[in-house]
mmCIF file of all heavy atoms in Angstrom:
data_model
loop_
_atom_site.group_PDB
_atom_site.id
_atom_site.type_symbol
_atom_site.label_atom_id
_atom_site.label_comp_id
_atom_site.label_asym_id
_atom_site.label_seq_id
_atom_site.Cartn_x
_atom_site.Cartn_y
_atom_site.Cartn_z
ATOM 1 N N SER A 1 21.453 -121.966 -142.507
ATOM 2 C CA SER A 1 20.498 -121.854 -143.602
ATOM 3 C C SER A 1 19.590 -123.078 -143.669
ATOM 4 O O SER A 1 18.397 -122.965 -143.950
ATOM 5 C CB SER A 1 21.249 -121.680 -144.934
ATOM 6 O OG SER A 1 20.355 -121.615 -146.014
ATOM 7 N N VAL A 2 20.164 -124.255 -143.395
ATOM 8 C CA VAL A 2 19.384 -125.493 -143.396
ATOM 9 C C VAL A 2 18.293 -125.419 -142.341
ATOM 10 O O VAL A 2 17.140 -125.814 -142.573
ATOM 11 C CB VAL A 2 20.304 -126.699 -143.137
ATOM 12 C CG1 VAL A 2 19.485 -127.921 -142.731
ATOM 13 C CG2 VAL A 2 21.103 -127.019 -144.383
ATOM 14 N N VAL A 3 18.634 -124.907 -141.168
ATOM 15 C CA VAL A 3 17.662 -124.791 -140.079
ATOM 16 C C VAL A 3 16.526 -123.853 -140.471
ATOM 17 O O VAL A 3 15.367 -124.069 -140.128
ATOM 18 C CB VAL A 3 18.356 -124.305 -138.795
ATOM 19 C CG1 VAL A 3 17.326 -124.008 -137.701
ATOM 20 C CG2 VAL A 3 19.353 -125.338 -138.298
ATOM 21 N N ALA A 4 16.854 -122.801 -141.259
ATOM 22 C CA ALA A 4 15.845 -121.828 -141.673
ATOM 23 C C ALA A 4 14.836 -122.412 -142.653
ATOM 24 O O ALA A 4 13.726 -121.901 -142.781
ATOM 25 C CB ALA A 4 16.527 -120.612 -142.297
ATOM 26 N N GLY A 5 15.203 -123.493 -143.362
ATOM 27 C CA GLY A 5 14.269 -124.155 -144.264
ATOM 28 C C GLY A 5 14.328 -123.634 -145.685
ATOM 29 O O GLY A 5 15.111 -122.730 -146.010
ATOM 30 N N LEU A 6 13.468 -124.182 -146.567
ATOM 31 C CA LEU A 6 13.493 -123.867 -147.995
ATOM 32 C C LEU A 6 13.127 -122.414 -148.267
ATOM 33 O O LEU A 6 13.817 -121.705 -148.990
ATOM 34 C CB LEU A 6 12.538 -124.797 -148.749
ATOM 35 C CG LEU A 6 12.526 -124.674 -150.272
ATOM 36 C CD1 LEU A 6 13.881 -125.021 -150.840
ATOM 37 C CD2 LEU A 6 11.453 -125.573 -150.860
ATOM 38 N N ASP A 7 12.030 -121.937 -147.681
ATOM 39 C CA ASP A 7 11.593 -120.567 -147.943
ATOM 40 C C ASP A 7 12.476 -119.548 -147.236
ATOM 41 O O ASP A 7 12.865 -118.538 -147.802
ATOM 42 C CB ASP A 7 10.135 -120.377 -147.497
ATOM 43 C CG ASP A 7 9.166 -121.081 -148.432
ATOM 44 O OD1 ASP A 7 9.287 -120.878 -149.637
ATOM 45 O OD2 ASP A 7 8.317 -121.844 -147.956
ATOM 46 N N GLY A 8 12.787 -119.816 -145.965
ATOM 47 C CA GLY A 8 13.558 -118.858 -145.204
ATOM 48 C C GLY A 8 15.029 -118.859 -145.533
ATOM 49 O O GLY A 8 15.706 -117.843 -145.391
ATOM 50 N N GLY A 9 15.586 -120.008 -145.962
ATOM 51 C CA GLY A 9 17.016 -120.101 -146.218
ATOM 52 C C GLY A 9 17.366 -120.115 -147.684
ATOM 53 O O GLY A 9 17.886 -119.139 -148.228
ATOM 54 N N VAL A 10 17.088 -121.240 -148.357
ATOM 55 C CA VAL A 10 17.530 -121.432 -149.736
ATOM 56 C C VAL A 10 16.951 -120.377 -150.671
ATOM 57 O O VAL A 10 17.674 -119.763 -151.460
ATOM 58 C CB VAL A 10 17.144 -122.849 -150.224
ATOM 59 C CG1 VAL A 10 17.601 -123.050 -151.655
ATOM 60 C CG2 VAL A 10 17.738 -123.908 -149.317
ATOM 61 N N LYS A 11 15.657 -120.147 -150.597
ATOM 62 C CA LYS A 11 15.023 -119.201 -151.515
ATOM 63 C C LYS A 11 15.596 -117.797 -151.340
ATOM 64 O O LYS A 11 15.971 -117.130 -152.311
ATOM 65 C CB LYS A 11 13.513 -119.185 -151.276
ATOM 66 C CG LYS A 11 12.769 -118.171 -152.144
ATOM 67 C CD LYS A 11 11.305 -118.104 -151.774
ATOM 68 C CE LYS A 11 10.604 -116.985 -152.544
ATOM 69 N NZ LYS A 11 9.192 -116.848 -152.139
ATOM 70 N N ARG A 12 15.690 -117.339 -150.101
ATOM 71 C CA ARG A 12 16.166 -115.981 -149.855
ATOM 72 C C ARG A 12 17.619 -115.809 -150.276
ATOM 73 O O ARG A 12 17.984 -114.832 -150.927
ATOM 74 C CB ARG A 12 15.993 -115.655 -148.365
ATOM 75 C CG ARG A 12 16.266 -114.203 -148.016
ATOM 76 C CD ARG A 12 15.852 -113.925 -146.587
ATOM 77 N NE ARG A 12 14.431 -114.225 -146.392
ATOM 78 C CZ ARG A 12 13.840 -114.304 -145.183
ATOM 79 N NH1 ARG A 12 14.566 -114.114 -144.099
ATOM 80 N NH2 ARG A 12 12.557 -114.565 -145.090
ATOM 81 N N LEU A 13 18.461 -116.766 -149.915
ATOM 82 C CA LEU A 13 19.867 -116.685 -150.293
ATOM 83 C C LEU A 13 20.042 -116.735 -151.808
ATOM 84 O O LEU A 13 20.887 -116.038 -152.377
ATOM 85 C CB LEU A 13 20.656 -117.825 -149.638
ATOM 86 C CG LEU A 13 21.015 -117.642 -148.161
ATOM 87 C CD1 LEU A 13 21.663 -118.911 -147.621
ATOM 88 C CD2 LEU A 13 21.945 -116.453 -147.962
ATOM 89 N N SER A 14 19.247 -117.587 -152.480
ATOM 90 C CA SER A 14 19.338 -117.694 -153.934
ATOM 91 C C SER A 14 18.994 -116.376 -154.605
ATOM 92 O O SER A 14 19.667 -115.937 -155.547
ATOM 93 C CB SER A 14 18.413 -118.806 -154.445
ATOM 94 O OG SER A 14 18.804 -120.068 -153.952
ATOM 95 N N GLU A 15 17.937 -115.723 -154.132
ATOM 96 C CA GLU A 15 17.519 -114.467 -154.737
ATOM 97 C C GLU A 15 18.564 -113.371 -154.496
ATOM 98 O O GLU A 15 18.892 -112.589 -155.402
ATOM 99 C CB GLU A 15 16.160 -114.050 -154.174
ATOM 100 C CG GLU A 15 15.012 -114.957 -154.631
ATOM 101 C CD GLU A 15 13.693 -114.594 -153.985
ATOM 102 O OE1 GLU A 15 13.711 -114.007 -152.879
ATOM 103 O OE2 GLU A 15 12.640 -114.896 -154.572
ATOM 104 N N ILE A 16 19.116 -113.312 -153.264
ATOM 105 C CA ILE A 16 20.152 -112.323 -152.962
ATOM 106 C C ILE A 16 21.386 -112.561 -153.835
ATOM 107 O O ILE A 16 21.960 -111.633 -154.418
ATOM 108 C CB ILE A 16 20.537 -112.383 -151.465
ATOM 109 C CG1 ILE A 16 19.372 -111.907 -150.600
ATOM 110 C CG2 ILE A 16 21.785 -111.547 -151.191
ATOM 111 C CD1 ILE A 16 19.591 -112.099 -149.115
ATOM 112 N N ASN A 17 21.773 -113.833 -153.929
ATOM 113 C CA ASN A 17 22.977 -114.161 -154.679
ATOM 114 C C ASN A 17 22.815 -113.876 -156.169
ATOM 115 O O ASN A 17 23.730 -113.357 -156.818
ATOM 116 C CB ASN A 17 23.321 -115.638 -154.470
ATOM 117 C CG ASN A 17 24.806 -115.864 -154.379
ATOM 118 O OD1 ASN A 17 25.527 -115.027 -153.840
ATOM 119 N ND2 ASN A 17 25.285 -116.978 -154.890
ATOM 120 N N MET A 18 21.659 -114.214 -156.726
ATOM 121 C CA MET A 18 21.436 -113.963 -158.147
ATOM 122 C C MET A 18 21.408 -112.463 -158.441
ATOM 123 O O MET A 18 21.927 -111.998 -159.458
ATOM 124 C CB MET A 18 20.120 -114.612 -158.592
ATOM 125 C CG MET A 18 20.181 -116.127 -158.724
ATOM 126 S SD MET A 18 21.355 -116.696 -159.987
ATOM 127 C CE MET A 18 22.751 -117.112 -158.965
ATOM 128 N N GLY A 19 20.822 -111.676 -157.528
ATOM 129 C CA GLY A 19 20.801 -110.233 -157.729
ATOM 130 C C GLY A 19 22.197 -109.643 -157.699
ATOM 131 O O GLY A 19 22.562 -108.820 -158.558
ATOM 132 N N LEU A 20 22.996 -110.051 -156.723
ATOM 133 C CA LEU A 20 24.361 -109.550 -156.616
ATOM 134 C C LEU A 20 25.220 -110.027 -157.784
ATOM 135 O O LEU A 20 26.046 -109.267 -158.312
ATOM 136 C CB LEU A 20 24.975 -110.004 -155.289
ATOM 137 C CG LEU A 20 26.352 -109.425 -154.941
ATOM 138 C CD1 LEU A 20 26.302 -107.906 -154.912
ATOM 139 C CD2 LEU A 20 26.836 -109.972 -153.604
ATOM 140 N N ALA A 21 25.027 -111.291 -158.198
ATOM 141 C CA ALA A 21 25.786 -111.820 -159.339
ATOM 142 C C ALA A 21 25.457 -111.047 -160.615
ATOM 143 O O ALA A 21 26.342 -110.769 -161.431
ATOM 144 C CB ALA A 21 25.480 -113.307 -159.531
ATOM 145 N N ALA A 22 24.188 -110.679 -160.783
ATOM 146 C CA ALA A 22 23.787 -109.909 -161.963
ATOM 147 C C ALA A 22 24.455 -108.535 -161.965
ATOM 148 O O ALA A 22 24.943 -108.065 -163.002
ATOM 149 C CB ALA A 22 22.266 -109.762 -162.001
ATOM 150 N N ILE A 23 24.499 -107.876 -160.797
ATOM 151 C CA ILE A 23 25.160 -106.575 -160.700
ATOM 152 C C ILE A 23 26.649 -106.705 -161.007
ATOM 153 O O ILE A 23 27.239 -105.885 -161.727
ATOM 154 C CB ILE A 23 24.941 -105.982 -159.289
ATOM 155 C CG1 ILE A 23 23.450 -105.684 -159.070
ATOM 156 C CG2 ILE A 23 25.779 -104.722 -159.099
ATOM 157 C CD1 ILE A 23 23.111 -105.277 -157.644
ATOM 158 N N PHE A 24 27.269 -107.751 -160.453
ATOM 159 C CA PHE A 24 28.688 -108.019 -160.676
ATOM 160 C C PHE A 24 28.971 -108.198 -162.166
ATOM 161 O O PHE A 24 29.904 -107.601 -162.723
ATOM 162 C CB PHE A 24 29.054 -109.282 -159.890
ATOM 163 C CG PHE A 24 30.518 -109.608 -159.843
ATOM 164 C CD1 PHE A 24 31.481 -108.614 -159.830
ATOM 165 C CD2 PHE A 24 30.944 -110.926 -159.790
ATOM 166 C CE1 PHE A 24 32.837 -108.915 -159.766
ATOM 167 C CE2 PHE A 24 32.285 -111.247 -159.727
ATOM 168 C CZ PHE A 24 33.239 -110.238 -159.720
ATOM 169 N N MET A 25 28.150 -108.984 -162.835
ATOM 170 C CA MET A 25 28.351 -109.269 -164.255
ATOM 171 C C MET A 25 28.131 -108.020 -165.112
ATOM 172 O O MET A 25 28.921 -107.738 -166.032
ATOM 173 C CB MET A 25 27.400 -110.384 -164.702
ATOM 174 C CG MET A 25 27.550 -110.789 -166.157
ATOM 175 S SD MET A 25 26.334 -112.015 -166.662
ATOM 176 C CE MET A 25 24.829 -111.026 -166.623
ATOM 177 N N VAL A 26 27.073 -107.275 -164.814
ATOM 178 C CA VAL A 26 26.777 -106.073 -165.597
ATOM 179 C C VAL A 26 27.895 -105.047 -165.453
ATOM 180 O O VAL A 26 28.283 -104.371 -166.426
ATOM 181 C CB VAL A 26 25.416 -105.472 -165.174
ATOM 182 C CG1 VAL A 26 25.211 -104.104 -165.811
ATOM 183 C CG2 VAL A 26 24.284 -106.411 -165.568
ATOM 184 N N PHE A 27 28.443 -104.916 -164.241
ATOM 185 C CA PHE A 27 29.551 -103.971 -164.049
ATOM 186 C C PHE A 27 30.752 -104.355 -164.908
ATOM 187 O O PHE A 27 31.351 -103.499 -165.568
ATOM 188 C CB PHE A 27 29.960 -103.927 -162.579
ATOM 189 C CG PHE A 27 31.147 -103.029 -162.322
ATOM 190 C CD1 PHE A 27 30.976 -101.660 -162.176
ATOM 191 C CD2 PHE A 27 32.433 -103.554 -162.244
ATOM 192 C CE1 PHE A 27 32.064 -100.825 -161.955
ATOM 193 C CE2 PHE A 27 33.530 -102.730 -162.028
ATOM 194 C CZ PHE A 27 33.341 -101.357 -161.890
ATOM 195 N N LEU A 28 31.117 -105.643 -164.914
ATOM 196 C CA LEU A 28 32.246 -106.089 -165.735
ATOM 197 C C LEU A 28 31.964 -105.887 -167.220
ATOM 198 O O LEU A 28 32.861 -105.553 -167.996
ATOM 199 C CB LEU A 28 32.560 -107.557 -165.451
ATOM 200 C CG LEU A 28 33.129 -107.896 -164.075
ATOM 201 C CD1 LEU A 28 33.467 -109.381 -163.986
ATOM 202 C CD2 LEU A 28 34.369 -107.070 -163.774
ATOM 203 N N LEU A 29 30.697 -106.094 -167.606
ATOM 204 C CA LEU A 29 30.322 -105.898 -169.009
ATOM 205 C C LEU A 29 30.519 -104.438 -169.421
ATOM 206 O O LEU A 29 31.057 -104.142 -170.502
ATOM 207 C CB LEU A 29 28.868 -106.321 -169.222
ATOM 208 C CG LEU A 29 28.257 -106.038 -170.598
ATOM 209 C CD1 LEU A 29 28.998 -106.818 -171.683
ATOM 210 C CD2 LEU A 29 26.775 -106.383 -170.606
ATOM 211 N N LEU A 30 30.106 -103.506 -168.558
ATOM 212 C CA LEU A 30 30.185 -102.092 -168.891
ATOM 213 C C LEU A 30 31.596 -101.538 -168.706
ATOM 214 O O LEU A 30 32.042 -100.683 -169.484
ATOM 215 C CB LEU A 30 29.196 -101.292 -168.027
ATOM 216 C CG LEU A 30 27.719 -101.647 -168.215
ATOM 217 C CD1 LEU A 30 26.856 -100.823 -167.273
ATOM 218 C CD2 LEU A 30 27.283 -101.434 -169.659
ATOM 219 N N ALA A 31 32.306 -102.023 -167.679
ATOM 220 C CA ALA A 31 33.662 -101.521 -167.413
ATOM 221 C C ALA A 31 34.701 -102.177 -168.307
ATOM 222 O O ALA A 31 35.794 -101.642 -168.494
ATOM 223 C CB ALA A 31 34.024 -101.752 -165.945
ATOM 224 N N GLY A 32 34.378 -103.342 -168.875
ATOM 225 C CA GLY A 32 35.312 -104.067 -169.712
ATOM 226 C C GLY A 32 35.100 -103.777 -171.190
ATOM 227 O O GLY A 32 34.466 -102.782 -171.564
#
């Protein structure tokens, strides 16, 4: 990821992770 740089690595991974984390949280909210 470091080799990919800020736009190619950190930004993309952050957006993917935040999207998945939001889905994870919403599921627990609705199922709990």
Side-chain angles (χ1 to χ4, degrees):
S1 178
V2 163
V3 173
L6 185 62
D7 287 310
V10 180
K11 177 185 174 183
R12 188 171 302 168
L13 282 174
S14 297
E15 291 176 335
I16 292 173
N17 217 35
M18 286 297 99
L20 187 58
I23 295 172
F24 188 33
M25 182 184 69
V26 170
F27 177 83
L28 292 184
L29 173 63
L30 298 178

